[in-house]
Amino acid sequence: MAFEVKTCVMVITMVTFMANLLLVVDANQQVPCYFIFGDSLVDNGNNNLLQSAAKSNYPPYGIDFPEGPTGRFTNGRTAVDVIAQLLGFEFFIPPFATTRGKDVILNGVNYASGGAGIRDETGQMLGDRFTMNRQLQNHQITISQIAFILGNEVAAANYLRKCIYTVTIGSNDYINNYLVPQFYSTSRQYNPEQYATVLTQQLSQQLRTLYGYGARKVALFGVGLAGCAPAEIARFPKTELPCLNWINGDVQLFNTRLKLLVDELNRDLIGSKFIYINVTGITSGNPYAAGFTVANETCCATSMLTKGRCNPNTVPCPDRSKYVFWDGFHPTDKTNVLVASRAYKAQTPFDAHPLDIGALARL
Ligand SMILES: *[C@@H]1O[C@H](CO)[C@@H](O)[C@H](O)[C@H]1NC(C)=O
Ligand SMILES: *[C@@H]1O[C@H](CO)[C@@H](O)[C@H](O)[C@H]1NC(C)=O
């Protein structure tokens, strides 16, 4: 039995490895640099040294990742890891928290942090985190280093406008704020429409700041189907299954505004191209058609104590590629590959608006 499990793990590891190879076959790096902002969906280790409950640098996280547990909240790659591969990078973009040295910084940095939100108070109950505002401050540190390396600010600006930037933020403003009235007052202050508007307005300011720091090619990922996350379903009365449509409805109010924000920023900010990635659209098809067999359960064992994250040192499901969700909130490598692939090369006009990331890179 133990042998069988081992063989199975080996086979899956090999399949994952081969999938890696397939994705990095095109080794021509399409852009000089890639900067990543966001939350635990794309964090790759920035929280490891923080006082935070939002950590994942322990097994079984990273079971299908070459370096093992790194602080990624999934079994293998995050969506931005896959995007880096599709952009032709031969390595993953390193976390800001531990990145030093000019060669590394010039290729881009990942600022994402588990628990982070558009709003500063979001995720407070989980402990310390780099909020979107902090991530922008950290980016300011990076770009002053880049200006130093390249000699002056004009050279830095010329360089930075060629980079790809992705922003994956907003999930925690629901999951670790609006939907937790015991800790946060936002649901008493705002109805769902007002909250979506307030979030979009604040994000608009943040993105204008990012533009001010030289970003010109920016992809915004919409918030996913939070009402389908097993840990959310476990928290609320199961009035409607398989997903809590009232949560997905709240999130969709934000996504609709985010897409409009993209058009607004493209009108207002000269020389910029912002795009919207329709994560809910990409993930709302039939999971069985995409090769999944389990969409309503987590692959690793979770508990209330770990707040939907994997219980440390437990043995996860043997076939990760059958599961949409790895833990109570985060998708598996396979789901991340699906989202990243269609963000990079849209399969329908709904996937990415007005361009996909591949076209953004070619601009
Ligand atoms: C996302 O895509 C779906 C179709 O897959 C579409 O119905 C929906 O309007 C899109 N949402 C946004 C905000 O673009
Ligand atoms: C998930 O769905 C399957 C099949 O519909 C069902 O048997 C199972 O009980 C569900 N699991 C949970 C945790 O709801």
Side-chain angles (χ1 to χ4, degrees), residues 233 238 241 288 294-297:
I233 292 172
K238 288 150 203 48
L241 285 180
Y288 305 102
V294 189
N296 63 344
E297 287 175 19

Side-chain angles (χ1 to χ4, degrees), residues 330-344:
H330 305 102
T332 53
D333 175 282
K334 164 121 173 203
T335 309
N336 287 331
V337 169
L338 175 79
V339 171
S341 309
R342 288 175 62 173
Y344 181 79

Side-chain angles (χ1 to χ4, degrees), residues 102-160:
K102 69 171 190 177
D103 297 337
V104 186
I105 282 178
L106 284 177
N107 287 300
V109 178
N110 182 337
Y111 305 98
S113 169
I118 295 167
R119 293 172 68 85
D120 284 340
E121 86 274 9
T122 290
Q124 207 160 45
M125 66 175 182
L126 298 171
D128 204 5
R129 69 241 165 268
F130 298 107
T131 63
M132 187 62 195
N133 285 331
R134 279 285 298 282
Q135 292 180 34
L136 287 165
Q137 288 168 14
N138 288 341
H139 185 51
Q140 202 180 13
I141 296 172
T142 302
I143 59 176
S144 57
Q145 288 168 340
I146 288 179
F148 180 76
I149 295 165
L150 298 181
N152 60 61
E153 290 188 357
V154 175
N158 274 331
Y159 187 77
L160 291 166

Side-chain angles (χ1 to χ4, degrees), residues 252 255-256 259 276 278 280-282 284 348 350-351:
Q252 210 49 30
N255 287 334
T256 305
K259 188 176 176 185
Y276 165 73
N278 186 348
T280 49
I282 294 170
S284 48
T348 82
F350 286 117
D351 288 354

Side-chain angles (χ1 to χ4, degrees), residues 28-73:
N28 296 325
Q29 203 178 300
Q30 294 147 38
V31 288
C33 32
Y34 177 17
F35 291 99
I36 296 158
F37 297 81
D39 53 30
S40 59
L41 290 167
V42 295
D43 186 352
N44 62 346
N46 285 306
N47 277 19
N48 293 352
L49 297 173
L50 297 185
Q51 290 283 344
S52 166
K55 287 197 196 196
S56 60
N57 53 341
Y58 60 84
Y61 285 100
I63 188 166
D64 300 311
F65 196 75
E67 297 160 47
T70 55
R72 285 170 172 78
F73 291 75

